[in-house]
Amino acid sequence: MAPAMRGRIGNLPLDLTSFVGRRHEVTEARRLLSASRLVTLTGIGGVGKTRLALRVAADSRRAFDDGVWLVEFGERRDPQLAAEAVAAALGLREQSAVPTTQILTDYLASRKMLLVLDNCEHLIDAVAKLAEALLRACPELRILATSREPLAIGGETVFRVPPMSFPVPDGSTPTRALAEYEAVNLFVERAGAAVPGFELTEDNRDTILAICAELDGLPLPIELAAARLRAMSVNQVLERLTDRFRLLTGGGRAAPDRQQTLRMSIDWSHDLCAPTEQELWRRLSIFPRGFELDAAEAIAAGDLAAHDLLDIVASLVDKSILIREEYDGVVRYRLLETLRDYGLERLHAAGEHDALRRRHRDWYQTLTRQCEDEWIGPNQPAWVARLERERSNLRDALEYCMTKPGEAENGLRIANVLYMFWISRGLLNEGRLWLGRALAAQGGDPTPERVKALAAAALLAANQGDVAAGEALVAEASDVAARIGDRETDVDVIDAAGHLQIYAGDPSEAIRLLRSILDTVRAGRNRLRHVTTVLGLATATAVLREREETTQYTAEVLDITSAHGESIYRSYALSMQGLALWHDAPEEARPLFEQAVKLSGDVDDLLGTAVCVEALAWTATATHDFPRGATLLGAADTLWSAAGNPGVVIPALRYNREEARGLCQRALGDRAFDAAVRQGSGFTRDEIVVFAAEGELPRQGSAERAATDLTPREQEVAELVAQGLTNRAIAEQLVISQRTVHGHVEHVLAKLGFNSRTQIAAWVVEQGKQVEDDAV
């Protein structure tokens, strides 16, 4: 297996704010990581465990040939999905019936890699078990974990993250020496972000020191305090903060002191909010991993008008209560976990939690119904992206249905819609788990939703090659349908049984079953069922090379999907049309596969893209374009591997792959063939789509492409860095602020994929050599 089309060095996020202090902690954690294969950073909430872990991981990149990968468990609630979280972070798609832990151990066994497991405390047993299994089976793997408690497994080294350093606020420390203290630096830097031009002075130094001392050097409350400067003076911040501490000194004595301090700081931040802001804060805590405005308006707004809600959300962002994030032009908001936990406590205390949780489930169930109605339509790519962003909320809605008496049928309804999403994204293990849980919770009542769920689970199993499980599920669905006695439910069973036979290697039986319901689905109003049934017939007839029948069925699918601007099933229809042609008329098949790969690429359908690229490799080989065929085989290998799939899923087509590979190898010779395969396997996913659809090889390597993204000012700063100038010296020479220089340097590092000024300098020198060579 290989990661799914990502950068080769991992998935660490870029820092949005500067990393302040922690030199000793970074050095010590790196030393421990060099000596121990499992290092766990522990400490109270808000102490900065995650930020420290990310910095240690970024600084350690060179030591890990296969990258540094972040796995965030904060949004996860189901221990059974711990392994799936790691697989998702690595970009491994679930297309195999093998348990995910085994997939991970197989993938990581020979790799030199660092995994950063973040926020493990609420899944401590599951994560500890998984970590132990991975470390035992993967000798070159190391793990850096963050948790409020140790994993408590053999070989673990625990490093407790302390608060940031701060001086005794007694006036004895000279102002010039305050820069040595991390808490002071953090406050001043974040205050400068809140109030441009803010500086540490003789006039405010004692007040700042008092604030840092009152907050015990904890990064989170220090950042919250600094953000308050948008509306208050430093003296007002200290006065308010000190008053709040005095009010709360009598409570919670059993809790650790620093935990009390954190709670006090959050209480203080809460009290600084207007009543409407406090109310929205606690209501927004119902979202487990963020939300978009339409969800907030429907679930948490109460009597607020839409424009008032937006104003309050913006105010909460300004006050650092909410974090604003943007995904491909879509804005989402989320609470830090500590602030969300605080909001949930307030929500329970207000007696609103149960009603909000129910409203949350209802809204996301409505969202999935809308998605189902529009799935065969022009909004399909947007729906795929939306469901991806809402996975945590959808899991939470499903969890509600699993745990509330009488709600399991609603769980089946949600899961049955999400089946389309799970299969398009390759989340087969997750889909099978939720469908299994929903079926178990429902208890066996004979309902149409139960039949649909059994059929969906059967097809997920079939896509993983687990035909036996699929057959058992179809048999159970048939029994339940017989008890219901409804024609539409019978159609669901027969459709699943027909598709299952394609994977079982009996396309003729698949055709018989699917034809038996064809008139019914054509006459019905379920457009998705119509498309999938006819597409199943197209697939089965294409496998049997029945060109006329395949053309008729694909034309029917294309008529529907093209008229409605749909992408996923249109891509598959074009692929099946090409599949029926390629063996006898490869030149006619090629443009069909090229159209299909563009469509699958637009919706990030990894499995669909793999099918198209594989088929294009066969057509290139059939037309004696062996270099292209071998390159496409390498690209297809990467896609299949990224999907967690051994290769072609349909048994009848496996010979085509073996034949194409053999022909290319004999025509090119071992060395040229291997080189072409390596070239294709090194492409990114976007590069694969462009090469497969248009025949264009990537013009530049990834480092060269990144270099062209530098602005003229960033290029100028990079050259001055190469001359050995400090940020201050660069600022003086360019007549800009040090903060601006720092931002330029961070952008250069990010764009070039570097983590040190030395690398920038080496890159500038190399660029100069290339210019000289080109001139010669």
Side-chain angles (χ1 to χ4, degrees):
M1 288 184 202
M5 305 305 93
R6 298 175 182 237
R8 300 301 183 194
I9 60 171
N11 67 342
L12 295 184
L14 297 177
D15 287 339
L16 298 180
T17 57
S18 60
F19 184 81
V20 178
R22 300 297 200 187
R23 288 185 180 179
H24 169 74
E25 288 81 5
V26 169
T27 301
E28 180 64 9
R30 290 190 67 185
R31 184 189 68 79
L32 295 175
L33 193 60
S34 68
S36 173
R37 295 181 58 216
L38 170 61
V39 175
T40 303
L41 307 182
T42 65
I44 62 172
V47 78
K49 300 183 293 295
T50 296
R51 196 69 189 271
L52 176 60
L54 292 176
R55 176 46 60 107
V56 170
D59 290 351
S60 303
R61 279 194 180 106
R62 279 189 184 176
F64 299 94
D65 297 341
D66 296 297
V68 178
W69 298 85
L70 171 65
V71 183
E72 297 174 292
F73 287 112
E75 67 183 274
R76 302 282 177 164
R77 289 294 179 268
D78 193 328
Q80 296 180 69
L81 290 177
E84 276 69 24
V86 178
L90 292 173
L92 302 180
R93 304 293 179 91
E94 304 156 359
Q95 301 286 345
S96 170
V98 177
T100 306
T101 300
Q102 184 62 52
I103 292 174
L104 288 171
T105 55
D106 290 344
Y107 175 73
L108 296 170
S110 60
R111 283 173 164 77
K112 190 173 185 180
M113 184 183 292
L114 174 65
L115 286 181
V116 181
L117 307 183
D118 189 38
N119 290 324
C120 303
E121 53 268 5
H122 60 296
L123 301 174
I124 194 73
D125 292 336
V127 174
K129 182 178 179 182
L130 176 62
E132 186 170 31
L134 294 180
L135 290 169
R136 286 185 182 277
C138 311
E140 294 295 317
L141 175 69
R142 290 180 187 253
I143 293 176
L144 179 63
T146 74
S147 176
R148 296 187 184 184
E149 61 179 305
L151 300 188
I153 61 177
E156 180 184 33
T157 298
V158 178
F159 178 54
R160 183 170 181 82
V161 180
M164 286 184 155
S165 61
F166 58 92
V168 177
D170 59 2
S172 62
T173 306
T175 301
R176 64 180 181 275
L178 293 179
E180 300 176 10
Y181 294 94
E182 299 164 332
V184 177
N185 280 339
L186 179 64
F187 183 91
V188 172
E189 184 152 331
R190 298 300 187 260
V195 182
F198 181 91
E199 294 179 348
L200 177 69
T201 67
E202 289 291 341
D203 292 332
N204 64 22
R205 49 155 282 155
D206 289 337
T207 307
I208 292 173
L209 297 188
I211 290 172
C212 293
E214 290 286 355
L215 296 177
D216 212 15
L218 292 171
L220 175 60
I222 286 173
E223 296 204 31
L224 291 171
R228 300 288 82 76
L229 294 181
R230 293 189 180 99
M232 305 171 70
S233 70
V234 178
N235 288 330
Q236 287 174 321
V237 168
L238 177 61
E239 180 182 357
R240 184 75 181 217
L241 186 61
T242 305
D243 288 343
R244 172 50 63 192
F245 282 176
R246 290 171 181 163
L247 287 172
L248 296 178
T249 52
R253 293 186 181 275
D257 290 343
R258 292 190 179 92
Q259 191 174 47
Q260 293 185 43
T261 302
L262 179 60
R263 175 167 293 282
M264 289 173 184
S265 68
I266 300 175
D267 275 335
W268 164 76
S269 185
H270 180 266
D271 286 351
L272 285 178
C273 293
T276 52
E277 293 171 339
Q278 294 175 353
E279 180 180 64
L280 191 60
W281 177 353
R282 70 173 183 261
R283 290 182 173 181
L284 293 176
S285 69
I286 205 68
F287 297 99
R289 184 64 179 175
F291 59 90
E292 294 173 24
L293 282 176
D294 56 352
E297 290 169 1
I299 299 169
D303 297 330
L304 291 172
H307 62 275
D308 291 330
L309 175 78
L310 181 57
D311 288 343
I312 298 173
V313 166
S315 179
L316 290 174
V317 171
D318 287 341
K319 293 180 177 180
S320 299
I321 305 303
L322 286 176
I323 297 174
R324 179 190 183 276
E325 299 173 323
E326 192 165 338
Y327 302 86
D328 296 325
V330 177
V331 174
R332 287 178 66 82
Y333 304 89
R334 67 179 176 90
L335 289 159
L336 293 173
E337 278 301 304
T338 303
L339 300 182
R340 179 176 180 250
D341 289 344
Y342 181 90
L344 284 172
E345 289 185 10
R346 292 275 179 171
L347 196 64
H348 280 286
E352 297 177 318
H353 181 266
D354 290 347
L356 263 291
R357 187 83 189 277
R358 174 62 180 266
R359 198 180 303 166
H360 178 276
R361 192 288 309 274
D362 290 346
W363 192 83
Y364 280 99
Q365 185 169 348
T366 300
L367 184 76
T368 58
R369 284 200 297 266
Q370 184 182 354
C371 171
E372 184 178 31
D373 292 339
E374 299 181 16
W375 192 254
I376 304 295
N379 293 329
Q380 187 183 72
W383 277 116
V384 171
R386 179 68 189 265
L387 294 183
E388 179 66 35
R389 296 193 302 269
E390 299 288 7
R391 282 175 66 185
S392 292
N393 283 304
L394 292 167
R395 290 191 195 107
D396 202 60
L398 284 167
E399 188 66 38
Y400 178 91
C401 297
M402 301 302 104
T403 55
K404 282 287 182 181
E407 292 290 347
E409 191 74 11
N410 285 319
L412 288 178
R413 291 189 180 98
I414 296 173
N416 285 336
V417 177
L418 291 180
Y419 160 77
M420 304 179 300
F421 170 71
W422 288 325
I423 202 165
S424 72
R425 301 294 290 173
L427 301 170
L428 307 186
N429 281 349
E430 180 167 340
R432 291 181 73 180
L433 174 65
W434 281 115
L435 283 165
R437 288 188 62 191
L439 287 164
Q442 195 254 8
D445 292 339
T447 66
E449 294 295 341
R450 183 172 186 84
V451 173
K452 290 179 183 177
L454 289 165
L459 293 182
L460 289 173
N463 271 272
Q464 292 186 316
D466 194 355
V467 174
E471 289 173 340
L473 289 161
V474 166
E476 184 179 351
S478 180
D479 291 341
V480 176
R483 294 166 63 189
I484 297 172
D486 173 68
R487 176 57 180 164
E488 186 173 341
T489 303
D490 291 338
V491 167
D492 290 333
V493 176
I494 296 171
D495 181 81
H499 281 85
L500 185 66
Q501 289 306 310
I502 299 173
Y503 297 98
D506 193 348
S508 296
E509 177 63 8
I511 293 171
R512 185 190 70 79
L513 288 166
L514 295 174
R515 279 180 178 166
S516 72
I517 59 172
L518 188 55
D519 291 341
T520 302
V521 299
R522 282 172 171 165
R525 301 176 62 182
N526 188 330
R527 188 181 300 141
L528 179 60
R529 171 64 70 234
H530 185 175
V531 167
T532 57
T533 300
V534 177
L535 188 57
L537 283 163
T539 304
T541 53
V543 167
L544 294 174
R545 299 184 190 174
E546 297 176 356
R547 292 174 54 177
E548 185 175 345
E549 290 83 353
T550 302
T551 300
Q552 291 174 357
Y553 291 132
T554 54
E556 185 173 349
V557 173
L558 290 170
D559 284 344
I560 299 170
T561 55
S562 298
H564 291 88
E566 190 273 344
S567 299
I568 293 176
Y569 301 109
R570 185 157 42 126
S571 172
Y572 276 102
L574 290 168
S575 292
M576 293 308 106
Q577 199 172 64
L579 188 63
L581 287 170
W582 85 268
H583 199 273
D584 298 321
E587 289 292 355
E588 295 180 44
R590 177 174 172 171
L592 296 170
F593 291 131
E594 290 172 346
Q595 292 178 58
V597 79
K598 289 179 183 178
L599 288 168
S600 62
D602 288 344
V603 290
D604 194 24
D605 180 359
L606 182 62
L607 188 58
T609 305
V611 170
C612 297
V613 173
E614 180 75 39
L616 280 167
W618 305 344
T619 59
T621 304
T623 57
H624 298 174
D625 190 350
F626 299 113
R628 175 176 168 81
T631 303
L632 286 168
L633 284 172
D637 285 343
T638 295
L639 292 170
W640 290 122
S641 183
N645 192 297
V648 179
V649 178
I650 298 173
L653 300 180
R654 289 175 188 155
Y655 172 75
N656 299 331
R657 176 180 176 79
E658 296 168 2
E659 181 183 40
R661 200 171 184 87
L663 288 171
C664 285
Q665 193 162 9
R666 287 192 292 273
L668 297 173
D670 290 345
R671 180 176 296 180
F673 173 77
D674 290 342
V677 169
R678 281 197 304 273
Q679 181 185 39
S681 64
F683 293 165
T684 67
R685 186 179 183 283
D686 288 342
E687 289 169 348
I688 289 174
V689 171
V690 171
F691 178 68
E694 302 172 12
E696 291 187 11
L697 288 167
R699 295 181 180 180
Q700 298 174 306
S702 57
E704 294 171 315
R705 287 194 299 275
T708 63
D709 292 337
L710 294 186
T711 66
R713 177 64 91 183
E714 289 166 353
Q715 180 73 37
E716 190 175 15
V717 169
E719 291 170 357
L720 293 174
V721 168
Q723 295 175 24
L725 273 64
T726 65
N727 283 1
R728 175 176 292 181
I730 294 172
E732 291 174 355
Q733 181 161 332
L734 299 180
V735 195
I736 57 178
S737 71
Q738 278 187 248
R739 184 178 294 109
T740 300
V741 173
H742 175 80
H744 285 319
V745 173
E746 291 297 312
H747 291 156
V748 172
L749 290 169
K751 288 181 178 181
L752 298 179
F754 297 158
N755 53 31
S756 73
R757 296 169 77 94
T758 302
Q759 289 176 293
I760 294 177
W763 175 81
V764 170
V765 172
E766 184 61 29
Q767 291 291 104
K769 289 180 179 179
Q770 289 180 7
V771 170
E772 292 176 3
D773 291 343
D774 291 342
V776 174

